[in-house]
């Protein structure tokens, strides 16, 4: 069954959607969208590093995404407006990554593949890595769920119950880096942010509790992945962007009609 | 029983000290109020006491396993976060439905369990925050300007509720407030802050202290004038609208 490239692609898409779902909810609730972008864009730098040292791509991506996330977290709250700072980091990471990859002379690099993903070329090894990564992210977030939610509501409120807001932020940072490493093959560095933010936004009008929102996000993400894959196959369009298009279409639908369903 | 002690506490953000050399303590059953002008370090002190801010100097000691019920100054819930009152009460610890119903009852909002947090009015929201703090079975209840956004009758009712809660639970209460006249009357002890502890003692002592008068004005207008000062931050007395009924 795994010998069919379409089945592998579908499983890769669903695995990524599952990892992105609970994390994406926190990205939305904590208004970390730019933070996600900066981390995702840093992945490209990781690709360049992996090529330079001839190491596995996923390790390079994980390392650079983690460094970027920690760096951004360290710099935030130091006077410069957070929004601006994150914007600078996000775009600078992308630009530096592009330049660095292009400097890898002698290596033929499919740049488009890293920017927009190459889900149809997912190997069995990739699939194993994607699902392991997804398991790590989901496990981590489930384990810390109550603490993460409390810290998201208000850091001082969390602190008064002995929960360190900084520690919980770090948990999300690690989860984010792993998700980026998992998702780069599926949707590419440019659209990871979309995969994090759009499915939760689709789920919001349908949910009454954080838990139901996270579950629905997982469902919607998976449906977008499979639907996008099918549509891309049908219309011969690039797969990553098509997945995001399906998710965006669902967003329009639930935003227009969702309020009627829950009220 | 002494619940919490701070000695020589200096607090601040990013190198700038907002509060210097504070000695503080609170005992079981006591109601202590922090007053002071804006930027005087009231909220900073609260953050230092709950451990959200690391002291620049000095230290805070608390009873082992001290349970703190904290009602924050404000709580912005992102519009993308769906949260029912019941779900909110279960953060960070889950509670039984009966316990939650009892806490909501004690906080004076028995019928809100199934509402979305975002749909609550300001007064309901503060009471739900109080209910959540009560569910921790606190030894120490900390309220940081918990009546912000409430009108005066609402604030007065809220403080009556606090006094009732204290009598029932026997917990200590630490309040930060702008509503001086209401709070002062309900307090056992008042700390007046302005970058340091200006003066402290029973409400009577503090009200007559020269340091306090220098900050909040003096004399016969009493609490009424104090309220005005805090309310609009002008230091002239154009009583353009009426607070007499408060």
């Amino acid at each position: 069954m795994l010998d069919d490239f379409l089945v592998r692609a579908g499983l890769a898409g669903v695995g990524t959607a599952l990892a992105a779902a609970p994390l994406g909810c926190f990205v939305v609730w904590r208004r970390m969208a730019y933070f996600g972008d900066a981390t995702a864009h840093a992945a490209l730098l990781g690709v360049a590093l992996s090529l330079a040292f001839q190491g596995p791509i996923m390790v390079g991506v994980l390392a650079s995404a983690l460094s970027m996330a920690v760096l951004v977290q360290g710099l935030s709250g130091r006077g410069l407006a957070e929004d601006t700072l994150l914007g600078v980091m996000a775009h600078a990471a992308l630009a530096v990554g592009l330049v660095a990859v292009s400097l890898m002379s002698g290596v033929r690099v499919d740049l488009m593949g890293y920017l927009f993903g190459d889900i149809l070329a997912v190997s069995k090894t990739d699939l194993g890595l994607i699902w392991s990564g997804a398991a790590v992210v989901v496990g981590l977030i489930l384990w810390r769920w109550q603490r993460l939610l409390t810290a998201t509501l208000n850091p001082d409120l969390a602190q008064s119950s002995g929960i360190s807001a900084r520690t919980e932020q770090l948990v999300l940072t690690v989860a984010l880096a792993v998700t980026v490493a998992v998702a780069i093959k599926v949707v590419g560095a440019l659209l990871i942010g979309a995969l994090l933010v759009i499915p939760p936004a689709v789920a919001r009008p349908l949910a009454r509790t954080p838990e139901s929102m996270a579950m629905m996000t997982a469902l919607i993400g998976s449906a977008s992945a499979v639907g996008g894959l099918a549509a891309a196959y049908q219309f011969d369009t690039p797969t990553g962007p098509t997945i995001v298009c399906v998710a965006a279409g669902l967003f329009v639908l639930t935003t227009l009609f969702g309020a009627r369903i829950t009220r | 029983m002494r619940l919490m002690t701070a000695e020589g506490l200096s607090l601040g953000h990013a190198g700038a000290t907002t509060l210097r050399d504070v000695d503080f303590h609170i005992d079981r059953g006591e109601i202590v109020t922090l007053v002071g002008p804006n930027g005087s370090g009231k909220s900073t002190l609260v953050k230092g006491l709950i451990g959200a801010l690391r002291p620049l100097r000095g230290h805070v000691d608390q009873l082992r396993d001290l349970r703190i019920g904290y009602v924050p100054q404000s709580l912005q819930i992102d519009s993308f976060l769906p949260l029912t009152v019941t779900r909110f009460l279960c953060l960070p610890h889950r509670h039984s439905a009966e316990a939650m119903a009892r806490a909501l009852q004690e906080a004076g909002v028995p019928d809100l369990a199934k509402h979305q947090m975002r749909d609550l009015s300001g007064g309901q929201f503060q009471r739900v925050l109080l209910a959540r703090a009560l569910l921790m079975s606190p030894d120490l209840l900390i309220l940081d300007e918990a009546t912000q956004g409430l009108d005066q009758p609402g604030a007065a009712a809220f403080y009556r509720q606090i006094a009732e809660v204290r009598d029932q639970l026997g917990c200590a209460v630490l309040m930060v407030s702008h509503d001086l006249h209401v709070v002062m009357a309900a307090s056992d002890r008042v700390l007046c802050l302005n970058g340091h502890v200006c003066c402290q003692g029973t409400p009577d002592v503090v009200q007559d202290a020269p340091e306090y008068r220098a900050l909040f004005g003096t004399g016969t207008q009493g609490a009424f004038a104090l309220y005005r000062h805090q309310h609009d931050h002008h230091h002239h007395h154009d009583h353009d609208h009426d607070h007499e009924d408060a």
Side-chain angles (χ1 to χ4, degrees), chain A residues 208, chain B residues 83-87 89 100-101 104-105 107-117 119-129 131:
Chain A
R208 282 184 53 82
Chain B
L83 200 62
T84 59
V85 168
T86 312
R87 188 65 192 88
L89 293 178
M100 285 191 276
L104 286 172
Q105 179 83 45
V109 280
D111 304 320
L112 294 180
K114 291 199 159 50
H115 285 61
Q116 284 285 319
M117 290 295 286
D119 296 339
L120 303 182
S121 71
Q124 290 172 329
F125 197 96
Q126 288 303 332
R127 282 162 187 275
V128 170
L129 287 180

PDB file of all heavy atoms in Angstrom, chain A residues 208, chain B residues 83-87 89 100-101 104-105 107-117 119-129 131:
ATOM      1  N   ARG A 208     -16.917  25.276  20.970  1.00  0.00           N
ATOM      2  CA  ARG A 208     -17.305  25.941  22.212  1.00  0.00           C
ATOM      3  C   ARG A 208     -16.238  25.817  23.297  1.00  0.00           C
ATOM      4  O   ARG A 208     -16.277  26.521  24.298  1.00  0.00           O
ATOM      5  CB  ARG A 208     -18.628  25.372  22.730  1.00  0.00           C
ATOM      6  CG  ARG A 208     -19.843  25.914  21.995  1.00  0.00           C
ATOM      7  CD  ARG A 208     -21.128  25.392  22.611  1.00  0.00           C
ATOM      8  NE  ARG A 208     -21.216  25.628  24.053  1.00  0.00           N
ATOM      9  CZ  ARG A 208     -21.599  26.790  24.584  1.00  0.00           C
ATOM     10  NH1 ARG A 208     -21.921  27.787  23.806  1.00  0.00           N
ATOM     11  NH2 ARG A 208     -21.653  26.932  25.877  1.00  0.00           N
TER      12      ARG A 208
ATOM     13  N   LEU B  83     -14.154  29.514  25.077  1.00  0.00           N
ATOM     14  CA  LEU B  83     -13.945  29.116  26.464  1.00  0.00           C
ATOM     15  C   LEU B  83     -15.243  29.322  27.228  1.00  0.00           C
ATOM     16  O   LEU B  83     -15.708  30.449  27.368  1.00  0.00           O
ATOM     17  CB  LEU B  83     -12.823  29.968  27.074  1.00  0.00           C
ATOM     18  CG  LEU B  83     -12.133  29.442  28.310  1.00  0.00           C
ATOM     19  CD1 LEU B  83     -11.427  28.132  28.038  1.00  0.00           C
ATOM     20  CD2 LEU B  83     -11.128  30.477  28.831  1.00  0.00           C
ATOM     21  N   THR B  84     -15.825  28.233  27.713  1.00  0.00           N
ATOM     22  CA  THR B  84     -17.000  28.380  28.567  1.00  0.00           C
ATOM     23  C   THR B  84     -16.540  28.691  29.977  1.00  0.00           C
ATOM     24  O   THR B  84     -15.381  28.468  30.330  1.00  0.00           O
ATOM     25  CB  THR B  84     -17.830  27.085  28.598  1.00  0.00           C
ATOM     26  OG1 THR B  84     -16.997  26.031  29.083  1.00  0.00           O
ATOM     27  CG2 THR B  84     -18.339  26.712  27.211  1.00  0.00           C
ATOM     28  N   VAL B  85     -17.450  29.222  30.774  1.00  0.00           N
ATOM     29  CA  VAL B  85     -17.120  29.542  32.161  1.00  0.00           C
ATOM     30  C   VAL B  85     -16.630  28.279  32.877  1.00  0.00           C
ATOM     31  O   VAL B  85     -15.613  28.297  33.564  1.00  0.00           O
ATOM     32  CB  VAL B  85     -18.348  30.144  32.874  1.00  0.00           C
ATOM     33  CG1 VAL B  85     -18.123  30.214  34.370  1.00  0.00           C
ATOM     34  CG2 VAL B  85     -18.642  31.530  32.313  1.00  0.00           C
ATOM     35  N   THR B  86     -17.330  27.171  32.674  1.00  0.00           N
ATOM     36  CA  THR B  86     -16.952  25.923  33.321  1.00  0.00           C
ATOM     37  C   THR B  86     -15.534  25.507  32.952  1.00  0.00           C
ATOM     38  O   THR B  86     -14.739  25.126  33.792  1.00  0.00           O
ATOM     39  CB  THR B  86     -17.911  24.788  32.888  1.00  0.00           C
ATOM     40  OG1 THR B  86     -19.246  25.266  33.024  1.00  0.00           O
ATOM     41  CG2 THR B  86     -17.714  23.570  33.729  1.00  0.00           C
ATOM     42  N   ARG B  87     -15.221  25.613  31.669  1.00  0.00           N
ATOM     43  CA  ARG B  87     -13.895  25.221  31.210  1.00  0.00           C
ATOM     44  C   ARG B  87     -12.835  26.128  31.822  1.00  0.00           C
ATOM     45  O   ARG B  87     -11.755  25.682  32.193  1.00  0.00           O
ATOM     46  CB  ARG B  87     -13.843  25.280  29.669  1.00  0.00           C
ATOM     47  CG  ARG B  87     -12.570  24.719  29.080  1.00  0.00           C
ATOM     48  CD  ARG B  87     -12.457  23.226  29.357  1.00  0.00           C
ATOM     49  NE  ARG B  87     -11.132  22.716  29.043  1.00  0.00           N
ATOM     50  CZ  ARG B  87     -10.107  22.702  29.877  1.00  0.00           C
ATOM     51  NH1 ARG B  87     -10.233  23.201  31.086  1.00  0.00           N
ATOM     52  NH2 ARG B  87      -8.939  22.204  29.512  1.00  0.00           N
ATOM     53  N   LEU B  89     -12.992  27.656  34.672  1.00  0.00           N
ATOM     54  CA  LEU B  89     -12.826  27.360  36.093  1.00  0.00           C
ATOM     55  C   LEU B  89     -11.906  26.154  36.305  1.00  0.00           C
ATOM     56  O   LEU B  89     -11.302  26.001  37.351  1.00  0.00           O
ATOM     57  CB  LEU B  89     -14.185  27.094  36.746  1.00  0.00           C
ATOM     58  CG  LEU B  89     -15.123  28.301  36.829  1.00  0.00           C
ATOM     59  CD1 LEU B  89     -16.448  27.899  37.446  1.00  0.00           C
ATOM     60  CD2 LEU B  89     -14.488  29.431  37.628  1.00  0.00           C
ATOM     61  N   MET B 100     -17.705  23.548  41.343  1.00  0.00           N
ATOM     62  CA  MET B 100     -17.786  24.743  40.498  1.00  0.00           C
ATOM     63  C   MET B 100     -19.078  25.503  40.756  1.00  0.00           C
ATOM     64  O   MET B 100     -19.086  26.726  40.842  1.00  0.00           O
ATOM     65  CB  MET B 100     -17.682  24.344  39.030  1.00  0.00           C
ATOM     66  CG  MET B 100     -16.269  23.968  38.634  1.00  0.00           C
ATOM     67  SD  MET B 100     -16.096  23.795  36.857  1.00  0.00           S
ATOM     68  CE  MET B 100     -16.634  22.129  36.616  1.00  0.00           C
ATOM     69  N   ALA B 101     -20.178  24.761  40.895  1.00  0.00           N
ATOM     70  CA  ALA B 101     -21.465  25.411  41.162  1.00  0.00           C
ATOM     71  C   ALA B 101     -21.399  26.182  42.480  1.00  0.00           C
ATOM     72  O   ALA B 101     -21.886  27.311  42.576  1.00  0.00           O
ATOM     73  CB  ALA B 101     -22.574  24.364  41.207  1.00  0.00           C
ATOM     74  N   LEU B 104     -19.272  29.381  42.039  1.00  0.00           N
ATOM     75  CA  LEU B 104     -20.008  30.415  41.303  1.00  0.00           C
ATOM     76  C   LEU B 104     -21.066  31.046  42.204  1.00  0.00           C
ATOM     77  O   LEU B 104     -21.295  32.259  42.172  1.00  0.00           O
ATOM     78  CB  LEU B 104     -20.660  29.817  40.051  1.00  0.00           C
ATOM     79  CG  LEU B 104     -19.700  29.488  38.902  1.00  0.00           C
ATOM     80  CD1 LEU B 104     -20.416  28.718  37.801  1.00  0.00           C
ATOM     81  CD2 LEU B 104     -19.074  30.761  38.327  1.00  0.00           C
ATOM     82  N   GLN B 105     -21.689  30.206  43.028  1.00  0.00           N
ATOM     83  CA  GLN B 105     -22.670  30.696  43.997  1.00  0.00           C
ATOM     84  C   GLN B 105     -22.009  31.672  44.974  1.00  0.00           C
ATOM     85  O   GLN B 105     -22.496  32.778  45.196  1.00  0.00           O
ATOM     86  CB  GLN B 105     -23.244  29.491  44.765  1.00  0.00           C
ATOM     87  CG  GLN B 105     -24.272  29.834  45.822  1.00  0.00           C
ATOM     88  CD  GLN B 105     -25.648  30.011  45.196  1.00  0.00           C
ATOM     89  OE1 GLN B 105     -26.059  29.203  44.362  1.00  0.00           O
ATOM     90  NE2 GLN B 105     -26.346  31.075  45.574  1.00  0.00           N
ATOM     91  N   ALA B 107     -19.401  33.376  44.579  1.00  0.00           N
ATOM     92  CA  ALA B 107     -18.950  34.595  43.903  1.00  0.00           C
ATOM     93  C   ALA B 107     -20.131  35.429  43.421  1.00  0.00           C
ATOM     94  O   ALA B 107     -19.941  36.499  42.853  1.00  0.00           O
ATOM     95  CB  ALA B 107     -18.042  34.240  42.728  1.00  0.00           C
ATOM     96  N   GLY B 108     -21.334  34.908  43.616  1.00  0.00           N
ATOM     97  CA  GLY B 108     -22.519  35.694  43.285  1.00  0.00           C
ATOM     98  C   GLY B 108     -22.973  35.596  41.846  1.00  0.00           C
ATOM     99  O   GLY B 108     -23.719  36.452  41.363  1.00  0.00           O
ATOM    100  N   VAL B 109     -22.507  34.578  41.106  1.00  0.00           N
ATOM    101  CA  VAL B 109     -22.950  34.402  39.720  1.00  0.00           C
ATOM    102  C   VAL B 109     -23.311  32.925  39.468  1.00  0.00           C
ATOM    103  O   VAL B 109     -22.655  32.240  38.698  1.00  0.00           O
ATOM    104  CB  VAL B 109     -21.877  34.857  38.696  1.00  0.00           C
ATOM    105  CG1 VAL B 109     -21.896  36.350  38.542  1.00  0.00           C
ATOM    106  CG2 VAL B 109     -20.492  34.387  39.122  1.00  0.00           C
ATOM    107  N   PRO B 110     -24.404  32.465  40.109  1.00  0.00           N
ATOM    108  CA  PRO B 110     -24.713  31.032  40.054  1.00  0.00           C
ATOM    109  C   PRO B 110     -25.158  30.514  38.687  1.00  0.00           C
ATOM    110  O   PRO B 110     -25.063  29.317  38.437  1.00  0.00           O
ATOM    111  CB  PRO B 110     -25.849  30.881  41.075  1.00  0.00           C
ATOM    112  CG  PRO B 110     -26.429  32.235  41.222  1.00  0.00           C
ATOM    113  CD  PRO B 110     -25.337  33.208  40.961  1.00  0.00           C
ATOM    114  N   ASP B 111     -25.594  31.390  37.787  1.00  0.00           N
ATOM    115  CA  ASP B 111     -26.248  30.889  36.563  1.00  0.00           C
ATOM    116  C   ASP B 111     -25.383  30.943  35.309  1.00  0.00           C
ATOM    117  O   ASP B 111     -25.889  30.809  34.203  1.00  0.00           O
ATOM    118  CB  ASP B 111     -27.529  31.690  36.303  1.00  0.00           C
ATOM    119  CG  ASP B 111     -28.456  31.640  37.500  1.00  0.00           C
ATOM    120  OD1 ASP B 111     -28.560  30.553  38.092  1.00  0.00           O
ATOM    121  OD2 ASP B 111     -29.038  32.685  37.844  1.00  0.00           O
ATOM    122  N   LEU B 112     -24.105  31.158  35.466  1.00  0.00           N
ATOM    123  CA  LEU B 112     -23.306  31.449  34.269  1.00  0.00           C
ATOM    124  C   LEU B 112     -22.528  30.258  33.728  1.00  0.00           C
ATOM    125  O   LEU B 112     -21.854  30.377  32.706  1.00  0.00           O
ATOM    126  CB  LEU B 112     -22.307  32.580  34.579  1.00  0.00           C
ATOM    127  CG  LEU B 112     -22.922  33.943  34.865  1.00  0.00           C
ATOM    128  CD1 LEU B 112     -21.820  34.957  35.151  1.00  0.00           C
ATOM    129  CD2 LEU B 112     -23.765  34.411  33.703  1.00  0.00           C
ATOM    130  N   ALA B 113     -22.618  29.099  34.362  1.00  0.00           N
ATOM    131  CA  ALA B 113     -21.720  27.986  34.055  1.00  0.00           C
ATOM    132  C   ALA B 113     -21.540  27.707  32.565  1.00  0.00           C
ATOM    133  O   ALA B 113     -20.432  27.460  32.106  1.00  0.00           O
ATOM    134  CB  ALA B 113     -22.202  26.723  34.764  1.00  0.00           C
ATOM    135  N   LYS B 114     -22.614  27.781  31.803  1.00  0.00           N
ATOM    136  CA  LYS B 114     -22.523  27.365  30.412  1.00  0.00           C
ATOM    137  C   LYS B 114     -22.217  28.512  29.454  1.00  0.00           C
ATOM    138  O   LYS B 114     -22.090  28.308  28.251  1.00  0.00           O
ATOM    139  CB  LYS B 114     -23.834  26.693  29.997  1.00  0.00           C
ATOM    140  CG  LYS B 114     -24.042  25.348  30.690  1.00  0.00           C
ATOM    141  CD  LYS B 114     -25.055  24.501  29.954  1.00  0.00           C
ATOM    142  CE  LYS B 114     -24.930  23.036  30.287  1.00  0.00           C
ATOM    143  NZ  LYS B 114     -24.883  22.747  31.728  1.00  0.00           N
ATOM    144  N   HIS B 115     -22.105  29.730  29.968  1.00  0.00           N
ATOM    145  CA  HIS B 115     -21.852  30.877  29.092  1.00  0.00           C
ATOM    146  C   HIS B 115     -20.438  30.856  28.543  1.00  0.00           C
ATOM    147  O   HIS B 115     -19.536  30.275  29.133  1.00  0.00           O
ATOM    148  CB  HIS B 115     -22.076  32.181  29.854  1.00  0.00           C
ATOM    149  CG  HIS B 115     -23.516  32.492  30.072  1.00  0.00           C
ATOM    150  ND1 HIS B 115     -24.350  31.678  30.783  1.00  0.00           N
ATOM    151  CD2 HIS B 115     -24.274  33.541  29.671  1.00  0.00           C
ATOM    152  CE1 HIS B 115     -25.568  32.205  30.811  1.00  0.00           C
ATOM    153  NE2 HIS B 115     -25.542  33.332  30.141  1.00  0.00           N
ATOM    154  N   GLN B 116     -20.244  31.535  27.411  1.00  0.00           N
ATOM    155  CA  GLN B 116     -18.900  31.776  26.906  1.00  0.00           C
ATOM    156  C   GLN B 116     -18.301  32.954  27.673  1.00  0.00           C
ATOM    157  O   GLN B 116     -18.991  33.943  27.937  1.00  0.00           O
ATOM    158  CB  GLN B 116     -18.943  32.109  25.405  1.00  0.00           C
ATOM    159  CG  GLN B 116     -19.174  30.910  24.498  1.00  0.00           C
ATOM    160  CD  GLN B 116     -17.946  30.025  24.355  1.00  0.00           C
ATOM    161  OE1 GLN B 116     -16.829  30.507  24.231  1.00  0.00           O
ATOM    162  NE2 GLN B 116     -18.146  28.716  24.379  1.00  0.00           N
ATOM    163  N   MET B 117     -17.023  32.852  28.026  1.00  0.00           N
ATOM    164  CA  MET B 117     -16.368  33.913  28.778  1.00  0.00           C
ATOM    165  C   MET B 117     -16.479  35.264  28.066  1.00  0.00           C
ATOM    166  O   MET B 117     -16.609  36.306  28.681  1.00  0.00           O
ATOM    167  CB  MET B 117     -14.879  33.592  28.977  1.00  0.00           C
ATOM    168  CG  MET B 117     -14.587  32.449  29.919  1.00  0.00           C
ATOM    169  SD  MET B 117     -15.082  32.788  31.603  1.00  0.00           S
ATOM    170  CE  MET B 117     -13.817  33.935  32.146  1.00  0.00           C
ATOM    171  N   ASP B 119     -18.821  36.438  26.354  1.00  0.00           N
ATOM    172  CA  ASP B 119     -20.151  37.046  26.355  1.00  0.00           C
ATOM    173  C   ASP B 119     -20.501  37.694  27.698  1.00  0.00           C
ATOM    174  O   ASP B 119     -21.567  38.281  27.837  1.00  0.00           O
ATOM    175  CB  ASP B 119     -21.220  35.981  26.024  1.00  0.00           C
ATOM    176  CG  ASP B 119     -21.040  35.437  24.614  1.00  0.00           C
ATOM    177  OD1 ASP B 119     -20.404  36.137  23.801  1.00  0.00           O
ATOM    178  OD2 ASP B 119     -21.517  34.326  24.337  1.00  0.00           O
ATOM    179  N   LEU B 120     -19.604  37.576  28.698  1.00  0.00           N
ATOM    180  CA  LEU B 120     -19.919  38.091  30.025  1.00  0.00           C
ATOM    181  C   LEU B 120     -19.744  39.606  30.078  1.00  0.00           C
ATOM    182  O   LEU B 120     -18.925  40.180  29.375  1.00  0.00           O
ATOM    183  CB  LEU B 120     -19.007  37.452  31.078  1.00  0.00           C
ATOM    184  CG  LEU B 120     -19.017  35.928  31.163  1.00  0.00           C
ATOM    185  CD1 LEU B 120     -18.107  35.473  32.291  1.00  0.00           C
ATOM    186  CD2 LEU B 120     -20.421  35.399  31.366  1.00  0.00           C
ATOM    187  N   SER B 121     -20.514  40.243  30.964  1.00  0.00           N
ATOM    188  CA  SER B 121     -20.320  41.667  31.224  1.00  0.00           C
ATOM    189  C   SER B 121     -19.099  41.821  32.135  1.00  0.00           C
ATOM    190  O   SER B 121     -18.615  40.845  32.707  1.00  0.00           O
ATOM    191  CB  SER B 121     -21.550  42.240  31.913  1.00  0.00           C
ATOM    192  OG  SER B 121     -21.615  41.756  33.246  1.00  0.00           O
ATOM    193  N   GLY B 122     -18.646  43.064  32.295  1.00  0.00           N
ATOM    194  CA  GLY B 122     -17.460  43.312  33.112  1.00  0.00           C
ATOM    195  C   GLY B 122     -17.609  42.772  34.526  1.00  0.00           C
ATOM    196  O   GLY B 122     -16.712  42.118  35.061  1.00  0.00           O
ATOM    197  N   GLY B 123     -18.771  43.035  35.142  1.00  0.00           N
ATOM    198  CA  GLY B 123     -18.997  42.594  36.513  1.00  0.00           C
ATOM    199  C   GLY B 123     -19.058  41.080  36.617  1.00  0.00           C
ATOM    200  O   GLY B 123     -18.472  40.482  37.526  1.00  0.00           O
ATOM    201  N   GLN B 124     -19.756  40.455  35.673  1.00  0.00           N
ATOM    202  CA  GLN B 124     -19.837  38.986  35.675  1.00  0.00           C
ATOM    203  C   GLN B 124     -18.457  38.379  35.510  1.00  0.00           C
ATOM    204  O   GLN B 124     -18.092  37.413  36.168  1.00  0.00           O
ATOM    205  CB  GLN B 124     -20.746  38.517  34.526  1.00  0.00           C
ATOM    206  CG  GLN B 124     -22.205  38.847  34.733  1.00  0.00           C
ATOM    207  CD  GLN B 124     -23.028  38.531  33.498  1.00  0.00           C
ATOM    208  OE1 GLN B 124     -22.532  38.620  32.370  1.00  0.00           O
ATOM    209  NE2 GLN B 124     -24.277  38.173  33.700  1.00  0.00           N
ATOM    210  N   PHE B 125     -17.673  38.970  34.616  1.00  0.00           N
ATOM    211  CA  PHE B 125     -16.338  38.461  34.328  1.00  0.00           C
ATOM    212  C   PHE B 125     -15.479  38.474  35.593  1.00  0.00           C
ATOM    213  O   PHE B 125     -14.832  37.476  35.934  1.00  0.00           O
ATOM    214  CB  PHE B 125     -15.688  39.328  33.241  1.00  0.00           C
ATOM    215  CG  PHE B 125     -14.516  38.695  32.574  1.00  0.00           C
ATOM    216  CD1 PHE B 125     -14.662  38.016  31.388  1.00  0.00           C
ATOM    217  CD2 PHE B 125     -13.248  38.781  33.134  1.00  0.00           C
ATOM    218  CE1 PHE B 125     -13.583  37.416  30.767  1.00  0.00           C
ATOM    219  CE2 PHE B 125     -12.159  38.184  32.527  1.00  0.00           C
ATOM    220  CZ  PHE B 125     -12.329  37.504  31.338  1.00  0.00           C
ATOM    221  N   GLN B 126     -15.496  39.608  36.317  1.00  0.00           N
ATOM    222  CA  GLN B 126     -14.693  39.706  37.539  1.00  0.00           C
ATOM    223  C   GLN B 126     -15.143  38.669  38.560  1.00  0.00           C
ATOM    224  O   GLN B 126     -14.340  38.094  39.283  1.00  0.00           O
ATOM    225  CB  GLN B 126     -14.802  41.112  38.132  1.00  0.00           C
ATOM    226  CG  GLN B 126     -14.065  42.176  37.328  1.00  0.00           C
ATOM    227  CD  GLN B 126     -12.597  41.877  37.135  1.00  0.00           C
ATOM    228  OE1 GLN B 126     -11.984  41.207  37.961  1.00  0.00           O
ATOM    229  NE2 GLN B 126     -12.021  42.338  36.043  1.00  0.00           N
ATOM    230  N   ARG B 127     -16.440  38.418  38.638  1.00  0.00           N
ATOM    231  CA  ARG B 127     -16.947  37.450  39.602  1.00  0.00           C
ATOM    232  C   ARG B 127     -16.576  36.025  39.223  1.00  0.00           C
ATOM    233  O   ARG B 127     -16.344  35.181  40.083  1.00  0.00           O
ATOM    234  CB  ARG B 127     -18.462  37.603  39.760  1.00  0.00           C
ATOM    235  CG  ARG B 127     -18.798  38.795  40.631  1.00  0.00           C
ATOM    236  CD  ARG B 127     -20.216  39.248  40.467  1.00  0.00           C
ATOM    237  NE  ARG B 127     -20.429  40.490  41.191  1.00  0.00           N
ATOM    238  CZ  ARG B 127     -20.733  40.539  42.478  1.00  0.00           C
ATOM    239  NH1 ARG B 127     -20.884  39.427  43.156  1.00  0.00           N
ATOM    240  NH2 ARG B 127     -20.885  41.695  43.090  1.00  0.00           N
ATOM    241  N   VAL B 128     -16.519  35.768  37.926  1.00  0.00           N
ATOM    242  CA  VAL B 128     -16.075  34.442  37.495  1.00  0.00           C
ATOM    243  C   VAL B 128     -14.585  34.265  37.826  1.00  0.00           C
ATOM    244  O   VAL B 128     -14.155  33.200  38.270  1.00  0.00           O
ATOM    245  CB  VAL B 128     -16.340  34.233  35.991  1.00  0.00           C
ATOM    246  CG1 VAL B 128     -15.653  32.968  35.497  1.00  0.00           C
ATOM    247  CG2 VAL B 128     -17.833  34.144  35.724  1.00  0.00           C
ATOM    248  N   LEU B 129     -13.814  35.331  37.650  1.00  0.00           N
ATOM    249  CA  LEU B 129     -12.398  35.282  38.050  1.00  0.00           C
ATOM    250  C   LEU B 129     -12.286  34.985  39.543  1.00  0.00           C
ATOM    251  O   LEU B 129     -11.433  34.204  39.976  1.00  0.00           O
ATOM    252  CB  LEU B 129     -11.708  36.617  37.747  1.00  0.00           C
ATOM    253  CG  LEU B 129     -11.400  36.952  36.283  1.00  0.00           C
ATOM    254  CD1 LEU B 129     -10.710  38.303  36.191  1.00  0.00           C
ATOM    255  CD2 LEU B 129     -10.521  35.887  35.669  1.00  0.00           C
ATOM    256  N   ALA B 131     -14.540  33.408  41.342  1.00  0.00           N
ATOM    257  CA  ALA B 131     -14.954  32.014  41.552  1.00  0.00           C
ATOM    258  C   ALA B 131     -13.789  31.068  41.277  1.00  0.00           C
ATOM    259  O   ALA B 131     -13.559  30.099  42.002  1.00  0.00           O
ATOM    260  CB  ALA B 131     -16.140  31.674  40.646  1.00  0.00           C
TER     261      ALA B 131
END
